[in-house]
Amino acid sequence: YRRLREKAEKLFVTLGGSDTYGVTIKVVEILKRFGKSATVHTGPSFAHHRELEEASYGGDFNIIGRVPSLVETFHSYDLVVTGGGMTPFEANASGLPCIIVANETFEVKNGRFLQSLGSSVFAGFHEEMNETVFEEELEIKRMSSVGLNRIPLDGTEKLYRRMKEL
């Protein structure tokens, strides 16, 4: 499911299995203000459906629930708004650039790291989100290429080999 993205035509939003703080709602409101459309994925424990319906009303949003494979779903999109856990690493490894919003304080380091590589843009911690990131013209092709070339697919194998060496 790896491919080079060249422009940001199709946007995907996925902010965790539960999205405890309702960050999806904030992101949809921002995208709506900037006249952007997106497919919005809600995880299995998402509890903000009514608020999401209200926030997306009048905008161009396709709301979807569970998907068999998030990585497979990524293949259809050019840019993803995601939390700062494992998802942006998976997305970047497939060549999908990210706008990262940290849902938890421990995700800030991941967002900053992936931004430092050049495969993602870090919008900050959800309570202090930099909204201007969502209207910036991003260098999608460069970001996609960096993700494809800098995020390895064999991390589990490398970890296993290192553990055996101990």
Side-chain angles (χ1 to χ4, degrees), residues 27-131:
V27 168
V28 165
E29 289 169 343
I30 293 166
L31 294 174
K32 189 173 164 183
R33 271 198 318 275
F34 293 138
K36 302 206 180 226
S37 62
T39 297
V40 180
H41 172 256
T42 60
S45 298
F46 186 79
H48 311 281
H49 292 285
R50 184 184 54 75
E51 296 97 327
L52 180 57
E53 271 186 53
E54 290 172 7
S56 63
Y57 182 77
D60 188 9
F61 299 98
N62 177 31
I63 313 295
I64 62 172
R66 294 182 186 189
V67 294
S69 165
L70 202 51
V71 172
E72 184 177 345
T73 302
F74 285 163
H75 189 70
S76 300
Y77 295 91
D78 304 312
L79 177 66
V80 62
V81 179
T82 184
M86 292 304 300
T87 303
F89 289 93
E90 295 169 333
N92 283 175
S94 72
L96 181 60
C98 299
I99 295 174
I100 300 170
V101 179
N103 292 306
E104 304 290 346
T105 55
F106 66 84
E107 295 177 349
V108 170
K109 285 183 181 180
N110 290 348
R112 288 184 178 149
F113 171 73
L114 290 170
Q115 178 169 284
S116 75
L117 286 182
S119 59
S120 297
V121 173
F122 182 51
F125 186 62
H126 73 92
E127 292 176 348
E128 305 150 352
M129 196 181 336
N130 176 3
E131 296 183 10

